[in-house]
């Protein structure tokens, strides 16, 4: 298995532009999580899906952020418009169930820089 | 709700020193406990996990953790650290129905 695949690995964009981050979970995993990591806040949960349905999006910082999971093998996290304070590493993770028994498998992350 | 707390945010050790990173969880029921490691510039990887049974759990790269129910603790240990153990370490508690933040973890720097 190729693991959790995220793209792009690095993204540099100008303030105000739309940014789309992509994630392909491990085949057979039915939960998917989006995390954001910064020095100040550590690793924060933004949103998670179970069976393609958003379960908890309370961590999404504001309306500029949106996430979708149109099918079991693909999810996107979109920021529109982007701001410099959105600069961070965004990780996607997947698991069987909620991950409480098996844990999460993380992707390699997308390093986003908004200038 | 449940949470975990890590005692130390920054630890500096010399090579060959022994390591113990503290982790306490706040939940009175059954817990599943994990330690993850994030090497510089990389993603989180599972180090070890505890569900039930032997409270002393052995993971990869010589790491182990002991679940002490009476102390609500799940401390990570390694008898002799190496420079390559320099990383961020995250303690995490999983129970059904909740997805949790990992927080800032503990930053370990091992000096030659």
């Amino acid at each position: 298995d190729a693991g959790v695949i995220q793209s792009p690995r690095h993204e540099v964009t100008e303030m105000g532009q739309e940014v789309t981050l992509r994630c392909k979970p491990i085949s057979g995993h039915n939960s998917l999580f989006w995390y954001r990591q910064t020095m100040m806040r550590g690793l924060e949960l933004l949103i998670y899906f179970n069976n393609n349905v958003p379960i908890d999006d309370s961590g999404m910082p504001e309306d500029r952020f949106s996430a979708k999971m149109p099918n079991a093998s693909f999810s996107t996290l979109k920021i529109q418009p982007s701001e410099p304070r959105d600069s961070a590493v965004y990780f996607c993770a997947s698991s069987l169930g909620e991950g409480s028994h098996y844990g999460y498998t993380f992707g390699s992350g997308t390093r986003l820089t908004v200038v | 709700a449940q949470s975990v707390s890590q005692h130390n945010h920054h630890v500096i050790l010399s090579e060959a020193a022994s390591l113990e990173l503290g982790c306490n969880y706040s939940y009175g029921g059954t817990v599943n406990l994990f330690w993850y490691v994030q090497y510089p510039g990389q993603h989180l990887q599972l180090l070890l996990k505890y569900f039930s049974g032997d409270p002393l759990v052995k993971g990869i790269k010589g790491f182990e953790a002991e679940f002490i129910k009476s102390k609500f603790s799940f401390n990570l240990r390694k008898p002799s650290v190496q420079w390559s153990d320099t990383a961020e370490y995250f303690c995490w508690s999983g129970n059904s129905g909740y997805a949790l933040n990992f927080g800032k973890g503990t930053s370990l720097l091992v000096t030659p």
Side-chain angles (χ1 to χ4, degrees):
Chain A
D1 196 324
V4 176
I5 300 172
Q6 289 186 248
S7 64
R9 288 296 304 275
H10 302 274
E11 176 80 31
V12 180
T13 190
E14 292 185 343
M15 183 174 62
Q17 296 297 306
E18 177 180 297
V19 176
T20 300
L21 311 181
R22 298 173 178 80
C23 176
K24 182 181 186 319
I26 289 176
S27 177
H29 282 189
N30 60 348
S31 289
L32 183 140
F33 309 81
W34 281 100
Y35 283 87
R36 177 173 67 175
Q37 187 174 37
T38 61
M39 289 287 289
M40 291 296 294
R41 295 173 180 255
L43 198 60
E44 303 172 278
L45 176 66
L46 299 177
I47 185 171
Y48 84 95
F49 296 84
N50 184 250
N51 294 324
N52 311 338
V53 176
I55 303 300
D56 184 357
D57 65 353
S58 60
M60 296 286 262
E62 45 197 279
D63 292 344
R64 297 184 296 107
F65 285 70
S66 62
K68 293 182 179 179
M69 192 165 186
N71 57 62
S73 59
F74 183 66
S75 176
T76 59
L77 178 68
K78 186 176 293 186
I79 308 173
Q80 166 63 19
S82 57
E83 297 182 3
R85 60 193 169 119
D86 302 330
S87 297
V89 181
Y90 291 81
F91 288 101
C92 176
S94 70
S95 71
L96 282 170
E98 302 91 354
S100 60
H101 196 78
Y102 300 101
Y104 298 171
T105 301
F106 282 81
S108 298
T110 295
R111 182 174 295 277
L112 173 65
T113 303
V114 183
V115 297
Chain B
Q2 55 181 317
S3 65
V4 293
S5 61
Q6 294 182 236
H7 310 310
N8 314 96
H9 293 298
H10 299 280
V11 174
I12 301 175
L13 294 173
S14 299
E15 276 192 309
S18 65
L19 170 71
E20 182 160 3
L21 302 182
C23 172
N24 285 93
Y25 66 92
S26 63
Y27 186 67
T30 302
V31 293
N32 299 324
L33 295 162
F34 302 77
W35 274 98
Y36 285 85
V37 60
Q38 185 179 26
Y39 297 104
Q42 296 188 27
H43 58 282
L44 271 74
Q45 303 170 49
L46 184 63
L47 202 52
L48 49 79
K49 56 188 177 183
Y50 171 80
F51 301 142
S52 63
D54 189 345
L56 184 62
V57 179
K58 295 192 183 298
I60 61 173
K61 302 185 180 184
F63 286 91
E64 65 180 31
E66 186 173 12
F67 171 62
I68 302 179
K69 190 175 181 179
S70 61
K71 295 184 178 180
F72 294 89
S73 70
F74 189 58
N75 292 354
L76 182 70
R77 300 194 296 245
K78 185 172 184 178
S80 177
V81 294
Q82 300 173 322
W83 175 80
S84 58
D85 294 324
T86 294
E88 298 278 332
Y89 292 82
F90 297 86
C91 181
W92 188 78
S93 170
N95 267 70
S96 61
Y98 295 95
L100 299 177
N101 287 323
F102 281 73
K104 291 185 178 182
T106 297
S107 174
L108 171 66
L109 173 63
V110 180
T111 60

